[in-house]
């Protein structure tokens, strides 16, 4: 089936909106059903942990209020660049569907975390940062295995609890991470 440019625009917009809604629904379910700091073990390798992250992906921070503003502005610029890039791809035509899938996942992830930053500081009872100062809600923790003697150059892969990939993240972070890995592994030829 050959989709028209207009149909692709609608599909991309609807997919992005649905992914952002899913991200926000999961975050609100966690916020309204758990206390900050709560941990619920779902499986031995999957925990729900309610964390309010003042920084960006996997708890990294830029530092203070100025860092939050810089991060928010960066997110806005990236969202604009992604929308422009998707528009450029649509004009170009003959683009593999996988490129659009990756772009939509990255765009939805960026928008999902931007919503947190923009509004959670104003709307959530656990935060008081104000506009663009909200903290991102993270909840997914995958303690896959203990890595006792991790080489120092790979220490970023181990959380404070000693587990490989000990970071706590959210759906938006997962969208972005999965998309980047997918694009690098399966769509690298397009970027040549």
């Amino acid at each position: 089936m050959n989709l028209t440019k207009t149909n692709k625009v609608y599909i991309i917009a609807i997919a992005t909106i649905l992914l952002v809604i899913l991200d926000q629904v999961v975050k609100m379910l966690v916020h309204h059903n758990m206390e900050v700091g709560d941990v619920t073990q779902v499986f031995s390798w999957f925990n729900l942990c309610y964390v309010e992250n003042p920084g960006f992906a996997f708890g990294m921070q830029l530092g203070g209020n100025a860092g939050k503003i810089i991060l928010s502005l960066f997110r806005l610029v990236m969202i604009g660049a992604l929308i422009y890039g998707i528009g450029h791809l649509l004009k170009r035509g003959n683009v593999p569907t996988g490129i659009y899938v990756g772009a939509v996942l990255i765009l939805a992830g960026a928008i999902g975390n931007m919503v947190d930053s923009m509004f959670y500081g104003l709307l959530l009872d656990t935060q008081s940062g104000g506009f663009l100062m909200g903290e991102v809600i993270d909840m997914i923790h995958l303690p896959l295995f203990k890595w006792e003697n991790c080489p120092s150059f790979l220490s970023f892969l181990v959380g404070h609890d000693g587990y490989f990939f000990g970071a706590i993240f959210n759906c938006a972070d997962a969208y972005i991470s999965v998309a980047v890995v997918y694009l690098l592994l399966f769509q690298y030829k397009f970027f040549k």
Side-chain angles (χ1 to χ4, degrees):
M1 178 167 82
N2 194 3
L3 296 173
T4 67
K5 181 178 159 184
T6 305
N7 288 343
K8 287 180 184 177
V9 169
Y10 286 130
I11 291 168
I12 288 167
I14 290 168
T16 302
I17 291 166
L18 289 175
L19 287 168
V20 171
I21 289 170
L22 175 64
D23 173 63
Q24 293 300 309
V25 166
V26 170
K27 289 171 180 173
M28 287 300 99
L29 284 171
V30 167
H31 176 73
H32 290 292
N33 292 293
M34 296 177 76
E35 297 291 325
V36 175
D38 281 356
V39 177
T40 301
Q41 185 177 37
V42 180
F43 302 107
S44 62
W45 51 269
F46 179 82
N47 298 327
L48 285 176
C49 305
Y50 183 2
V51 175
E52 290 183 344
N53 175 0
F56 56 106
F58 312 117
M60 294 182 274
Q61 296 182 32
L62 290 177
N65 289 345
K68 284 290 289 179
I69 296 295
I70 291 169
L71 179 59
S72 293
L73 292 174
F74 174 75
R75 284 180 178 143
L76 286 172
V77 167
M78 290 309 298
I79 290 167
L82 285 164
I83 292 170
Y84 175 82
I86 291 170
H88 179 73
L89 291 174
L90 287 166
K91 287 179 188 171
R92 177 179 167 179
N94 199 22
V95 174
T97 302
I99 298 295
Y100 291 120
V101 170
V104 164
L105 285 167
I106 293 170
L107 179 60
I111 292 171
N113 284 334
M114 188 67 215
V115 167
D116 298 13
S117 178
M118 289 174 69
F119 301 114
Y120 285 8
L122 296 169
L123 302 174
L124 298 185
D125 55 347
T126 57
Q127 298 185 26
S128 61
F131 184 69
L132 290 179
M133 303 304 277
E135 297 181 3
V136 174
I137 293 177
D138 290 334
M139 77 293 296
I140 302 168
H141 179 237
L142 303 174
L144 300 176
F145 58 87
K146 256 313 194 207
W147 197 350
E148 300 293 337
N149 297 314
C150 173
S152 60
F153 69 94
L154 293 176
S155 62
F156 67 95
L157 295 173
V158 178
H160 61 50
D161 54 3
Y163 280 92
F164 172 75
F165 198 69
I168 300 171
F169 58 99
N170 59 44
C171 295
D173 297 332
Y175 299 162
I176 294 167
S177 300
V178 167
V180 168
V181 170
Y182 166 76
L183 289 170
L184 290 174
L185 290 178
F186 300 106
Q187 299 296 333
Y188 65 90
K189 289 180 182 176
F190 176 80
F191 295 105
K192 289 182 181 179

